[in-house]
Amino acid sequence: MIKVFLREKKLKHGKRGLYLDFYPAILHPETGKQTRREHLRLYTFERPKIEAEKEHNKETRLLAENIRAKRQLEFQAGIYGFAPVGDKQRDFLAYFEEVVEGKKSQSKSNFENWRSVKQYLVKFAKGHCTFGDVTEKFCKDFKEFLLNQESISTNTASVYFDKFKVAVRLAADDKLLAENPARRVRSIKVEDTQREFLTLDELHTLAATPFEYEDMRRAALFAALTGLRFSDIQKLTWKEVQFSEQNGSYLRFTQQKTKGTETLPISEEALGLLGERKDDSEIVFTNLAYWQASYLPIWTNKAGINRKITFHCFRHTYATLQLTFGTDIYTVSKLLGHKNVQTTQIYARVIDQRKQEAANRISLK
């Protein structure tokens, strides 16, 4: 009888890839060629340093072992699980999970986006979805489902739906679907959005309001005091938090988005939000996950702020308040890490609009 073993292979960047080893070799159901391996597109950290990495390794190996056991049972039943076209009963959610896991080598924010899509997909499908369920109507209904979620914006829904369409296309490319049913479903149109921000009073109120996700609360307030993007805060290590007698506290980091190296002075209040200093290699916000941002409205509503506030609004808040208090636009541009000052002009236009609104409040009639 064919035996299925779980193996690991050393990869680049301190990771190990998991795959199944078949003995003896089997005939691949699609190519008809003999093979000994099935790559699971699951990865573990070779030398986990922090608790999150250790937990990731534990959960990933458990998932891989479950797949191995499933393959073994399939062989015993005479059915192999590569799922050729027409196997409509195969679990699409499990396949989507494999796609998500394959994104771990990319940026953390992108990976968290994929994880959020998976969570909404599981919610929409009520935890069960086969390849046979993935039809054009299913894709359209999921699109409407995302648009009707109060916890995400239209533009976020657009990002999520496009990632879903990518996964469906990959399934068609892998011949797990006879065709790509999402091909004819239009993406969600991105809206021109107003750059929402908090007033100083609102920021003060929010800082005094507790929130279930403490790392998210501290990270959001840190963004308001530094202008950092979520992706840069999430990957921030203690090595990047530096101090000198001449310059005080500052961050020395590489932007995730632009790859540019930045030196950013930070206030003592911002430094205090980071908590107790740990080893240089450790992540500052160890329990920060992008999906937690979907619960920000609970926090802001609790503080009496009824506008839709996303995490990026805290970066907008930093820029807007800096300009409001007289910091010149060139300095703000550098603080935000913009390569071109024209990118910063959008905040100046917001300030000009507010000035015009203030001027119009005084009337002799």
Side-chain angles (χ1 to χ4, degrees), residues 112-114 116-117 120 142 146 152 155-165 290:
E112 292 292 349
N113 272 334
W114 275 96
S116 296
V117 180
Y120 282 110
F142 183 55
L146 290 174
I152 59 176
N155 289 352
T156 299
S158 176
V159 172
Y160 288 178
F161 187 63
D162 281 347
K163 292 187 181 302
F164 166 76
K165 290 181 67 175
Y290 190 75

Side-chain angles (χ1 to χ4, degrees), residues 30 38 41 70-71 74 80-99 121 125 127-139 164-182:
E30 295 178 16
E38 178 185 353
R41 287 186 281 187
K70 180 181 177 182
R71 293 290 184 268
E74 289 173 344
Y80 179 54
F82 265 59
V85 172
D87 185 0
K88 296 183 178 181
Q89 297 308 309
R90 182 175 175 179
D91 190 350
F92 176 72
L93 296 181
Y95 175 83
F96 198 91
E97 173 70 22
E98 292 179 18
V99 174
L121 181 60
H128 178 75
C129 177
T130 66
F131 279 92
D133 294 326
V134 184
T135 62
E136 184 175 332
K137 182 179 185 304
F138 179 92
C139 297
F164 166 76
K165 290 181 67 175
V166 168
V168 175
R169 177 178 58 77
L170 288 174
D173 291 345
D174 290 340
K175 299 184 179 179
L176 300 175
L177 290 166
E179 65 168 349
N180 178 3

Side-chain angles (χ1 to χ4, degrees), residues 95-114:
Y95 175 83
F96 198 91
E97 173 70 22
E98 292 179 18
V99 174
V100 173
E101 292 297 318
K103 303 299 179 181
K104 281 188 174 179
S105 60
Q106 301 179 7
S107 69
K108 288 187 177 180
S109 59
N110 182 59
F111 175 62
E112 292 292 349
N113 272 334
W114 275 96

Side-chain angles (χ1 to χ4, degrees), residues 216-227:
M216 176 58 73
R217 186 189 75 86
R218 291 190 298 115
L221 296 175
F222 187 72
L225 294 179
T226 63

Side-chain angles (χ1 to χ4, degrees), residues 305-351:
I305 303 168
N306 298 319
R307 306 188 310 284
K308 190 174 183 70
I309 302 297
T310 65
F311 191 94
H312 209 62
C313 291
F314 293 94
R315 178 173 165 87
H316 299 330
T317 296
Y318 173 79
T320 306
L321 291 180
Q322 285 285 2
L323 290 170
T324 299
F325 294 137
T327 306
D328 66 273
I329 193 167
Y330 179 80
T331 300
V332 173
S333 179
K334 292 302 180 184
L335 290 170
L336 292 173
H338 289 165
K339 291 184 176 180
N340 192 321
V341 72
Q342 291 181 344
T343 308
T344 322
Q345 289 287 352
I346 181 67
Y347 299 106
R349 288 196 289 272
V350 171
I351 298 302

